[in-house]
Amino acid sequence: MTDFHKTYQNKDITVFWQPEKCLHSANCVRGLRAVFDPGRKPWIELSEGETEDIVRTINNCPSGALSFEFNAPASI
Ligand code: SF4
């Protein structure tokens, strides 16, 4: 079994994309097309949205194909 995933990062979060889990519900595309655009490469572009909106959209992914974690705060 493959465990392929890609990661995308902005200053706040790291997003994990596991395409083998995707159910193609398109919740992500409908929720925030500027960030999740299957017609673009790369199809995820975190700089096109606010972290709060990205998190909300990922939380609506029914399959777990999209997930995220908050980045560790920078040490001083
Ligand atoms: S919301 Fe999740 S399951 Fe639906 S298309 Fe996007 S990544 Fe795939």
Side-chain angles (χ1 to χ4, degrees), residues 27-44:
N27 288 9
C28 53
V29 179
R30 281 195 302 270
L32 196 57
R33 186 162 198 127
V35 171
F36 302 101
D37 182 352
R40 180 186 56 207
K41 285 196 175 180
W43 83 283
I44 298 174

Side-chain angles (χ1 to χ4, degrees), residues 6-10 13-17 42-46:
K6 282 193 160 191
T7 60
Y8 303 84
Q9 197 167 46
N10 68 13
I13 57 173
T14 300
V15 172
F16 304 94
W17 162 236
W43 83 283
I44 298 174
E45 185 50 77
L46 299 186

